[in-house]
Structure formats: structure tokens, C-alpha cells
Amino acid sequence: MQENEKDIQKLNNRLRELAEKSFQQNLFTFTGFLGLSEQDAFFRLERELSYAGCTLFGGRENAERRMLRFGSPQEFGYDVPFPIVCIHIRPVAAKFADSLSHRDFLGALMNLGIERSTLGDIMAGDKEAYLFCADSMGDYICEQLAQVRHTSVTCTITENFEEIPTEEPVRQRIQVSSPRVDALLAKVYNKSRSDCLELFRAGRVFVDGRLCESNSRLLKGGETVNARGFGKFVYTGQTGETRKGKLNVEVAVFR
């Protein structure tokens, strides 16, 4: 069995354990933050685990990294929120701060010895970021994260979610012969069909959180496509047809 298969099998066993614990003891159980590949593993088990009540949430709408909660508020008669907090990371002196990327913030966090499963989405701006993380790590990160690259930073837990910037996608109208996922990937990211095929072979394309293994899959309006290493977009749908039979479609691209 390959290492990746062993990891997935270990995750599957853990999900079964958490589901059974929740069901037997009438309590909510949580995973850490799951990446796209781990969420796909859950989706493959979703029917088996549905008896325990399953909810995915990452601290914000449309989060990519999400926790899985087992337990039903309707069945239990009470509710428990997801153990997630949001940290605002900003420079001490904005005037002298570097321009920082998602990779810079993630690298600084990993250098603290933090497990990836405790970290959710990082919404990085030019010099600051909002980080969703497990509440058990909130105080530690605020105390220990003092520098990102060469920039001194300060961290505070924010409860005012209205101040968190929302990702505004860029809407694009493109022409394709059909709403195949590989055709849209090629157009959106200016790649050849052969380049896109490599993404599928490498298991880097997901549709609504599920691994997409067929490059010829036809997309439906509202579905979200994640191409790891490139970004994500939402296929809005068809808006018309050209005289030559091409389809005019619209996508909302997140950069």
C-alpha cells in the first residue's frame, strides 16, 4: 500500500471512530481542518457515516479548508459551535512592511511547529491576513507569531467578522465548445488541454470539494472548480451561443 493510501486509510478509520463516538455518547465530535483531498475521502464515506450527522464548516462561507463535525443538534437537543477562531495578522509598522503572500504567512506559521490540521484558510492581503484556526491554537499563535519574513507583526483574535474582507471574484465571459471541466480550466488559466490533463492525472482538480477524475465531466451552473496550484472558479452557466455553435459561458474567478 502506498504512503498516500495509508494516510487515507488512517483518516477513514479516524472518521469512523469519531462518528461512532458521537452517536453512542450523544456528543459532538470534530476533526481538525481537512484539505480538499481529505474532504474527498470523507465524501466517499459520507453515506456510511450519515447516521451520525455530518456538517462541514471552515469559519466562513465557501471556505476551502473545513472541519467536520459529527452530531445532530435536532437529535441531541443542544448545539455546540465549531471550535474555530479568526486571527487578524497585521504589521506593527505598515509603512515599512513587506508585501506578503499566502505562502509567507503559512511558512511563518509552520515554522512555529504548528500542525497543518489546526490551520484553516488564510485570507492574505498585501501586508496583512486573516487566519482561521482551531480555538486551542488561537492564544499560542497570538503570543508566538511575531514576524513574517522581515516584517514584525501583531496578532489579535477578532470576533467582528464584518471586518474580514470578502473575496470578490472576477467575472469572465468565455467561449467553449461545451461546459467540460477541462475546457473551462484551459480557458480560465490559459493552459493547453494536455497541460490540464496532467492536473487530472495528478489528482489536483476538485469540483465542489470532490476529486474530479474525469476531465470530460460536464459542469453544472453553480459548481466550484478548484485547481490546486492555480486557484478556483465558479461556473455560473451558459449565457448564449455564437453563430458558429460555440457556447458563451460565464465564470467567477477567485485569484
Side-chain angles (χ1 to χ4, degrees), residues 37-251:
S37 296
E38 294 164 318
Q39 290 176 51
D40 179 69
F42 158 66
F43 287 131
R44 294 172 187 267
L45 286 179
E46 187 174 14
R47 181 175 297 181
E48 175 188 335
L49 304 178
S50 61
Y51 72 92
C54 311
T55 309
L56 285 165
F57 184 61
R60 66 186 183 101
E61 188 178 358
N62 298 322
E64 180 172 311
R65 294 180 58 79
R66 298 183 289 180
M67 282 185 179
L68 174 60
R69 183 183 75 175
F70 292 106
S72 168
Q74 291 76 24
E75 293 289 335
F76 294 170
Y78 71 100
D79 199 1
V80 172
F82 280 74
I84 298 172
V85 296
C86 182
I87 297 176
H88 187 193
I89 308 171
R90 59 187 186 275
V92 173
K95 180 179 179 180
F96 304 105
D98 295 322
S99 180
L100 302 172
S101 67
H102 179 281
R103 179 175 294 183
D104 295 325
F105 287 105
L106 179 59
L109 290 162
M110 299 306 290
N111 285 338
L112 296 178
I114 296 173
E115 292 186 9
R116 189 70 174 98
S117 63
T118 65
L119 303 177
D121 285 0
I122 302 173
M123 301 175 63
D126 182 37
K127 297 180 180 181
E128 64 179 10
Y130 287 88
L131 161 71
F132 290 91
C133 69
D135 61 2
S136 60
M137 296 301 300
D139 289 340
Y140 177 80
I141 292 173
C142 288
E143 293 169 2
Q144 298 297 321
L145 185 62
Q147 186 168 316
V148 179
R149 282 183 59 190
H150 306 296
T151 299
S152 296
V153 299
T154 182
C155 302
T156 55
I157 295 176
T158 177
E159 296 182 358
N160 182 13
F161 280 44
E162 292 183 359
E163 73 180 36
I164 302 174
T166 57
E167 292 180 283
E168 292 296 335
V170 177
R171 296 194 174 274
Q172 296 181 5
R173 291 185 176 181
I174 57 180
Q175 291 183 354
V176 290
S177 56
S178 74
R180 284 173 47 137
V181 61
D182 59 353
L184 271 77
L185 278 172
K187 283 285 187 177
V188 170
Y189 298 115
N190 194 26
K191 297 289 181 182
S192 67
R193 285 287 187 92
S194 59
D195 287 339
C196 290
L197 187 57
E198 289 303 314
L199 294 178
F200 288 92
R201 288 172 175 167
R204 295 170 61 185
V205 180
F206 297 79
V207 177
D208 281 352
R210 293 170 168 80
L211 179 65
C212 183
E213 298 179 291
S214 172
N215 63 299
S216 62
R217 183 189 189 283
L218 298 179
L219 292 174
K220 300 175 183 177
E223 289 186 318
T224 300
V225 179
N226 288 76
R228 290 172 63 178
F230 292 90
K232 68 179 180 180
F233 64 86
V234 178
Y235 171 59
T236 306
Q238 182 178 342
T239 59
E241 188 173 330
T242 69
R243 292 180 179 179
K244 295 184 178 181
K246 289 278 190 178
L247 300 181
N248 291 317
V249 303
E250 186 175 82
V251 294

Side-chain angles (χ1 to χ4, degrees), residues 18-37:
L18 289 173
E20 186 64 17
K21 180 178 180 180
S22 173
F23 182 76
Q24 293 294 340
Q25 300 182 25
N26 282 356
L27 55 80
F28 291 98
T29 58
F30 299 86
T31 66
F33 284 96
L34 305 177
L36 290 172
S37 296

